[in-house]
Amino acid sequence: MSVWHARAAALYDGSPRRMLIDGDWCDARSGEVIEARDPATGRLLATVPKGGAVDIDAAVLAARRAFEGPWARVTPFERQALLLRIAERVQAEWEDLCLSDTLDMGMPIQRSLTNSRRVLGMLRFYAGQAVAIHGQTIPNSFPGEIRSSTVREPVGVVGAIIPWNAPIAGSVWKIAPALATGCTVVLKPSEEASLTVLMLARIMQDCGLPPGVLNVVTGLGPEAGAALAAHPGIDRIAFTGSTETGRSIARAAAGNIKRVSLELGGKSPVILCRDADLDRAIPVAAMAVFANSGQICIAGSRLFVAREIEDEVLARLADHARALRIGHGIDPETEIGPLISARQAARVEDFLQRGRTEGARVLAGGARVAPDGMEGGHFIQPTVFAGVADDMAIAREEIFGPVLSVLPFDELDDVVTRANATPYGLAAGVFTTHLGTAHKLAHRLRAGTVWVNMYHAIDPAVPFGGVKMSGHGREGGTEHLDEFLDTKAIWINTD
Ligand code: ADP
């Protein structure tokens, strides 16, 4: 038993939680709830309101009132101070936030604890940006005393929809730039993992957010999520989730021509060249796909390996996969936690079956497991497939599970073509000790991010996002702020 077990029992004891609308903690108008269960054990943690269209209406109204009322009078320096206060409180409550995520969606605590640098960095980075937003004075072609300039204005009420695989970072990455720019927010977390987002909202509210500036409506995607995406009172939608849902959100957003950013799925290639430093590359390439049980949009799920080193790489990857410790995420030793739900585990099992049927060979893993005392959990072994062909389902489709497809290659030109032959373009990895190869591949791979001799690095100051069907828009960096701002041109005839 780790120290976390006692804290876990105290944190969630099955009692109901409420959602945040207009500064009030409330139930859904319908009175209906969604159960939040621990994906490792099936234990009931809490219930959350099953918000619907009428709750979204109330939240959007509150956000609009706040946007046009008191929030509009809060200065950039006050918004900066607020974000810094939030960062301090998030830091103080970081362990509880991580524990909540581990219980609600399974992320191993050893992984989530290390995410604080990134999340606190986001809050502090955007606190800095809050006071750096400004327009320009621009010379024009008109004769006489006609002046032109621009100002940057907040887009208004932002609808944020996030998935379950990284609730803390996912929500902060939408909320921080919104607060920095002076927008207001209606956030819908995933029905699979709402508890930590509610905890975060409480922290933010305690830091002095005026009512209505941040609203969190829990509920189902096709109900609360769809109502938010289509709502005429929303000016911009910031979405992270599957490509399929992204498509329906883009359609729903067309009604009032909302601005939309979409951070969607991926099938990211990782290229292991024959000159790679294998001692360093193997563990990184393995965790590129196995981290968070493969439930990350950037999972490096296609590993292209130079044919000369294929046998050695396969043997070492299989050893690595077998040695990973599977268990409850609150055990500090755990490296692989459960998948989010029975549905997700069944989906991954289906891919395992399709891989075998299509002729790939399982070198490690390949099955469900039930660690002691966790028979109600949704665990799948980290799995390495060899003998994979490019057209197999496991090499083409996003699995969102701990499943790696290893594909040999002979020529660099050929591997670039194969790596790019996917509808997705979120991320890619390269392992090489050759400088020229590093540059060549970094430039030729079609992806929003390319990592060389590393993987997973995401930083508040560096833009992150996809190309092709992995979406558009960037999170991180100053480009992210642009998505929350409109530019207004002002002309003045001073004659
Ligand atoms: P994932 O399976 O990775 O969670 P989804 O795209 O299914 O990806 O879900 C991401 C988020 O989108 C969740 O908050 C979910 O509730 C929401 N969602 C699902 N369907 C819709 C929809 N039709 N309209 C708006 N939001 C939706």
Side-chain angles (χ1 to χ4, degrees):
M1 278 272 202
S2 76
V3 291
W4 298 102
H5 284 83
R7 287 175 70 169
L11 192 61
Y12 293 120
D13 61 2
S15 48
R17 303 282 151 153
R18 296 175 138 182
M19 58 188 183
L20 180 63
I21 298 180
D22 205 10
D24 288 329
W25 293 96
C26 55
D27 296 319
R29 298 289 159 96
S30 67
E32 289 184 80
V33 296
I34 302 171
E35 289 185 340
R37 289 186 179 274
D38 180 342
T41 61
R43 174 170 87 90
L44 180 70
L45 301 167
T47 59
V48 299
K50 191 177 178 189
V54 36
D55 303 290
I56 291 288
D57 277 346
V60 174
L61 197 67
R64 175 65 57 194
R65 258 199 316 266
F67 179 70
E68 286 169 3
W71 187 236
R73 291 187 289 278
V74 174
T75 68
F77 283 87
E78 289 167 330
R79 296 201 303 268
Q80 178 184 52
L82 180 63
L83 278 161
L84 291 175
R85 255 194 327 273
I86 292 172
E88 291 308 305
R89 282 292 305 278
V90 167
Q91 186 163 23
E93 300 203 29
W94 185 249
E95 288 189 359
D96 272 352
L97 287 162
C98 292
L99 181 58
S100 172
D101 257 5
T102 298
L103 295 171
D104 200 17
M105 48 70 67
M107 187 186 290
I109 195 106
Q110 59 150 271
R111 176 184 164 86
S112 49
L113 285 174
T114 63
N115 280 343
S116 62
R117 187 181 54 81
R118 177 165 141 219
V119 171
L120 297 172
M122 286 174 194
L123 289 162
R124 292 178 177 139
F125 178 82
Y126 287 105
Q129 295 297 317
V131 296
I133 298 165
H134 53 76
Q136 292 177 308
T137 304
I138 306 169
N140 61 61
S141 62
F142 282 78
E145 292 292 315
I146 293 185
R147 308 272 176 229
S148 48
S149 60
T150 58
V151 288
R152 312 294 316 275
E153 298 184 334
V155 294
V157 181
V158 174
I161 301 177
I162 61 168
W164 42 264
N165 62 339
I168 307 178
S171 45
V172 168
W173 225 349
K174 310 263 189 271
I175 296 169
L179 300 185
T181 49
C183 295
T184 58
V185 183
V186 178
L187 173 67
K188 199 211 75 72
S190 167
E191 51 272 51
E192 313 263 22
S194 302
L195 294 178
T196 315
V197 179
L198 293 174
M199 190 185 273
L200 203 56
R202 188 210 8 100
I203 292 174
M204 293 190 179
Q205 204 199 13
D206 288 352
C207 289
L209 268 188
V213 172
L214 171 65
N215 307 272
V216 177
V217 180
T218 51
L220 303 182
E223 296 174 6
L228 187 58
H231 204 290
I234 292 287
D235 300 296
R236 156 164 162 64
I237 286 282
F239 173 72
T240 302
S242 64
T243 296
E244 200 42 53
T245 304
R247 202 175 277 124
S248 63
I249 283 180
R251 270 195 296 268
N256 66 329
I257 321 288
K258 290 179 187 66
R259 287 176 66 177
V260 180
S261 64
L262 302 169
E263 202 266 87
L264 307 176
K267 190 72 190 173
S268 297
V270 175
I271 300 175
L272 200 53
C273 299
R274 67 167 178 262
D275 54 44
D277 174 347
L278 291 189
D279 289 345
R280 292 170 67 180
I282 297 279
V284 180
M287 292 321 282
V289 62
F290 296 142
N292 212 22
S293 296
Q295 304 169 111
I296 41 174
C297 50
I298 51 175
S301 51
R302 290 184 295 152
L303 182 65
F304 292 94
V305 179
R307 200 178 297 277
E308 299 92 313
I309 56 169
E310 187 191 6
D311 290 346
E312 181 185 357
V313 168
L314 282 172
R316 291 175 69 170
L317 276 172
D319 286 346
H320 191 100
R322 282 189 218 102
L324 289 169
R325 286 177 297 253
I326 304 175
H328 197 299
I330 57 174
D331 180 344
E333 302 286 297
T334 292
E335 292 162 296
I336 302 291
L339 298 190
I340 185 73
S341 61
R343 187 173 60 97
Q344 185 63 16
R347 187 181 131 81
V348 175
E349 272 191 301
D350 185 50
F351 274 107
L352 296 177
Q353 189 50 46
R354 285 163 79 185
R356 287 189 177 96
T357 309
E358 291 184 337
R361 278 179 295 120
V362 174
L363 288 194
R368 270 186 107 110
V369 272
D372 278 353
M374 285 172 263
E375 290 70 23
H378 320 299
F379 294 88
I380 301 253
Q381 294 170 320
T383 300
V384 179
F385 271 113
V388 181
D390 292 12
D391 60 354
M392 291 181 183
I394 53 171
R396 284 185 294 107
E397 295 183 39
E398 183 176 40
I399 300 175
F400 234 60
V403 183
L404 176 64
S405 294
V406 182
L407 308 112
F409 74 88
D410 295 300
E411 300 294 335
L412 275 189
D413 283 343
D414 170 52
V415 78
V416 168
T417 307
R418 291 167 64 200
N420 287 340
T422 165
Y424 297 110
L426 192 56
V430 174
F431 289 91
T432 179
T433 52
H434 191 282
L435 189 63
T437 305
H439 277 283
K440 190 184 292 179
L441 292 183
H443 287 275
R444 291 180 56 193
L445 288 167
R446 220 37 199 113
T449 297
V450 180
W451 291 289
V452 179
N453 294 331
M454 61 189 299
Y455 207 80
H456 283 143
I458 292 184
D459 191 86
V462 182
F464 170 82
V467 299
K468 301 196 282 182
M469 272 168 53
S470 292
H472 49 73
R474 291 292 177 267
E475 299 196 308
T478 50
E479 274 178 67
H480 194 189
L481 277 186
D482 292 339
E483 313 230 357
F484 291 80
L485 293 166
D486 286 324
T487 301
K488 178 190 279 176
I490 299 178
W491 292 82
I492 300 184
N493 184 347
T494 58
D495 261 345

